[in-house]
Amino acid sequence: MSQKTQSFILRLEPKELMWLERQVNESGLNRQDYLRKLFKEAVVVPCPSAELEHLVEGLKPIEENLKQIETNFCKTKTIDMEKLDENMAELKKLVAETIDYDYDKEN
């Protein structure tokens, strides 16, 4: 039998404790075993980088513009190529800023 000699304090708000107790009861485990299982099986995903957050925020207006182009296309069966080109240029600029890529080197 292993000796478990280390402990820690976990402070919870009342709502968090109620949630934990509900989860523990549904699992059929005691609180200690439930938390141990959670710790062992949890998958921690790293926070997105600041660059990725910047890219996602920059994509939102482009997405809105593309939705407008799509809506207009469905109504008129034509595409405003000027607006589409503007969106593509903005997208290239945003990606280039984010990943430090020079699109002009391709051509």
Side-chain angles (χ1 to χ4, degrees), residues 38-76:
L38 248 163
F39 293 147
K40 287 180 181 178
E41 295 179 8
V43 177
V44 178
V45 179
C47 291
S49 66
E51 293 85 7
L52 182 58
E53 287 180 24
H54 173 73
L55 179 63
V56 169
E57 285 304 310
L59 288 173
K60 288 179 182 178
I62 295 171
E63 176 188 24
E64 287 303 313
N65 290 342
L66 291 174
K67 284 181 181 178
Q68 290 173 357
I69 291 171
E70 176 190 29
T71 300
N72 190 49
F73 174 76
C74 289
K75 291 177 183 176
T76 65

Side-chain angles (χ1 to χ4, degrees), residues 55 59 62 86-96 103:
L55 179 63
L59 288 173
I62 295 171
E86 287 172 12
N87 279 285
M88 289 305 295
E90 186 63 30
L91 181 58
K92 284 182 179 182
K93 178 183 169 196
L94 186 61
V95 170
Y103 280 97

Side-chain angles (χ1 to χ4, degrees), residues 7-67:
S7 64
F8 69 95
I9 295 172
L10 176 63
R11 289 176 172 67
L12 299 173
E13 295 177 2
K15 279 185 174 182
E16 293 170 326
L17 181 59
M18 286 175 45
W19 176 86
L20 176 60
E21 290 301 330
R22 187 172 47 251
Q23 299 302 313
V24 167
N25 290 335
E26 289 176 5
S27 73
L29 301 170
N30 63 43
R31 187 187 301 173
Q32 181 175 315
D33 289 340
Y34 178 82
L35 290 172
R36 189 174 287 112
K37 184 173 176 62
L38 248 163
F39 293 147
K40 287 180 181 178
E41 295 179 8
V43 177
V44 178
V45 179
C47 291
S49 66
E51 293 85 7
L52 182 58
E53 287 180 24
H54 173 73
L55 179 63
V56 169
E57 285 304 310
L59 288 173
K60 288 179 182 178
I62 295 171
E63 176 188 24
E64 287 303 313
N65 290 342
L66 291 174
K67 284 181 181 178

